[in-house]
Amino acid sequence: MTLGPDSEVVWRWGEAALTATLVNTWLVMGLLTLGAWWLTRRLSDGPSLSRWQNLLESLVSGIDDQIRQVSHQPPARYRPFVGTLFLFIAVSNLLEVVPGFASPMGSLSTTTALAICVFVAVPLYGIAREGPLGYLRHYLQPSWLMLPFNVIGELSRTVALAVRLYGNIMSGTLIVAILLGLTPYVFPVLMQLLGLLTGMIQAYIFAVLAMVYIASAASAQRERRQVPRPTEGGNTHG
């Protein structure tokens, strides 16, 4: 019995190996792509909407509301990235009910790749909003002596994102494996249902944390621009 998809080799050619992690990741990506095409091929703006369009609009509205609450900014800029993170993690975890499917989130390489995407997106969004110098200046706040600590903080939260998601998914898998050996009919079913709930929560937490990190970079720059500068003589009111 394997606890993670990395150890399950689907196909091997010499030193190259195709693991279940890659296969299942491609499967989730394909399902999301086909699902997006199928749900958006007959969109209507009339008074009567299909149940699938209602579901899609509810999902998009929910993502927009969460982005707006976290960032206090219009959600359109962040929706593609944050929404994709949430849907990819959520669908990966939900598909674990399918026999033989192991969630890619059970691989540390997958969670690390997602965390690196967040790590790269944070400065990209910050630079797009503030410019290169404006964004890089926050690493020197409140003093240039804080530069190494700010850089370490960026790296450590990336590691924390990857390990948190991986640890929560693998802990549920390990518990199910232990209970399967003790009571093979009752508890694993209950734990599988609990695992689905946990998987959805982890998808939500990962997406929200990604949005918090992205929004914090822009908000820090905005707050510094709004700090009033004293005029000559110390009178800030002119």
Side-chain angles (χ1 to χ4, degrees), residues 71-84:
S71 66
H72 304 287
Q73 299 176 38
R77 176 191 294 268
Y78 309 107
R79 184 193 305 124
F81 179 70
V82 177
T84 300

Side-chain angles (χ1 to χ4, degrees), residues 79-94:
R79 184 193 305 124
F81 179 70
V82 177
T84 300
L85 282 177
F86 172 76
L87 289 176
F88 178 74
I89 298 173
V91 172
S92 297
N93 294 333
L94 285 175

Side-chain angles (χ1 to χ4, degrees), residues 185-232:
Y185 298 110
V186 180
F187 287 108
V189 176
L190 299 178
M191 290 303 301
Q192 192 75 17
L193 295 176
L194 180 60
L196 292 179
L197 177 61
T198 302
M200 295 300 295
I201 293 174
Q202 291 305 316
Y204 172 78
I205 292 175
F206 192 97
V208 167
L209 286 177
M211 191 62 245
V212 168
Y213 296 155
I214 293 171
S216 63
S219 63
Q221 295 292 336
R222 186 170 62 252
E223 290 172 1
R224 282 198 294 274
R225 290 203 310 269
Q226 293 175 351
V227 173
R229 296 182 177 180
T231 57
E232 295 183 2

